[in-house]
Amino acid sequence: ASSIALRLRVHRDDDISAFAAAPRDPEFYRLLGCPFPSGVNRADEARAWYAKKTDPKHSWAIEVDGRCVGSVWLHSIELTNRRARFAIEIFDSRYWNRGIGEFATRTVVKFAFEELKLHRLDLRVLTENARAIRCYERCGFLREGVQRDTLFLDGRWYSDLWMSILESEYREQVERQEKDQSPSHPPHHNAGNRPFSVDSLASENPPAPSPRG
């Protein structure tokens, strides 16, 4: 299988053109809980998207082979209660189903617990977004409950699933992974056995908000 260079980094101006060049997939907007932007100039939409990426401490571009394909961030951070909310979007649907979202999720979960020393990380996702829910569960998030009929879009109601992972659960997950990667258990590769080129978030003045989140 061919390899891909995958990393998280701080957003930069040329991410605007990457967003504008990506195909407008109706499924992307629906699963974010947003109406399809028909009649909206793509360049204007891209600039509005980029304008939200203003916090370099907690918001990162998802870069594949040197090109931004999405964004991942933490928001609603409460340092006293040691909690935050997680959100992610891969706006270029050509990069769906390749393990990229799982890589970004695992990387930011690690940052949340190892660097920010959080106790709890949570998220909300549309109950219909089975692909995202499976990804979050693989990354250690547990289902907490459904908030019914929270979004009215395109003539119908949608519900949100709330999920979370606690510090103790994250630690248990790390221990299991370390055991699996012991000499007697060869390590597993992500994204269809394509190796990752991973940049440490902490080394980039870590990185900030938008879909359900």
Side-chain angles (χ1 to χ4, degrees):
S2 60
S3 63
I4 58 174
L6 175 57
R7 67 170 182 152
L8 303 187
R9 58 160 172 78
V10 176
H11 278 283
R12 60 192 188 213
D13 291 349
D14 61 346
D15 295 341
I16 299 174
S17 58
F19 184 99
R24 262 184 177 165
D25 193 317
E27 187 77 349
F28 168 73
Y29 296 96
R30 186 179 69 84
L31 293 177
L32 290 187
C34 301
F36 187 80
S38 55
V40 177
N41 179 274
R42 185 62 164 169
D44 291 341
E45 182 191 4
R47 284 189 289 269
W49 168 84
Y50 183 75
K52 299 175 182 177
K53 316 301 177 185
T54 56
D55 181 358
K57 290 184 178 180
H58 307 110
S59 177
W60 305 267
I62 303 171
E63 183 184 277
V64 180
D65 294 336
R67 182 186 188 85
C68 177
V69 302
S71 185
V72 59
W73 62 95
L74 299 175
H75 65 103
S76 304
I77 299 173
E78 301 177 16
L79 295 180
T80 301
N81 294 318
R82 296 172 54 204
R83 62 179 292 185
R85 187 151 300 150
F86 172 87
I88 184 173
E89 59 184 11
I90 297 180
F91 57 73
D92 194 330
S93 59
R94 296 170 295 186
Y95 292 89
W96 292 356
N97 301 311
R98 296 177 63 180
I100 294 167
E102 183 173 344
F103 158 78
T105 301
R106 288 187 184 278
T107 304
V108 174
V109 167
K110 180 178 180 179
F111 174 75
F113 290 112
E114 300 287 353
E115 300 294 331
L116 296 184
K117 309 297 183 185
L118 296 185
H119 172 70
R120 170 188 168 91
L121 186 63
D122 58 38
L123 62 86
R124 64 174 177 163
V125 57
L126 291 180
T127 56
E128 294 194 0
N129 196 344
R131 178 175 55 241
I133 293 169
R134 288 194 299 269
C135 170
Y136 299 144
E137 288 180 327
R138 288 194 298 270
C139 294
F141 285 87
L142 301 179
R143 303 184 187 211
E144 291 193 329
V146 173
Q147 202 171 8
R148 298 176 301 163
D149 289 0
T150 51
L151 172 72
F152 189 76
L153 181 67
D154 296 333
R156 54 161 295 194
W157 287 101
Y158 291 84
S159 298
D160 280 314
L161 172 65
W162 284 92
M163 306 180 74
S164 71
I165 179 172
L166 302 180
E167 181 182 12
S168 59
E169 295 160 347
Y170 166 75
R171 299 296 174 196
E172 291 171 1
Q173 179 177 264
V174 169
E175 289 179 7
R176 288 195 302 271
Q177 291 171 345
E178 290 176 345
K179 191 173 297 183
D180 289 344
Q181 293 179 5
S182 65
S184 59
H185 296 83
H188 300 290
H189 293 290
N190 294 316
N193 293 323
R194 289 184 288 272
F196 288 134
S197 170
V198 182
D199 283 6
S200 166
L201 294 183
S203 70
E204 293 200 353
N205 297 318
S210 135
R212 295 308 290 162

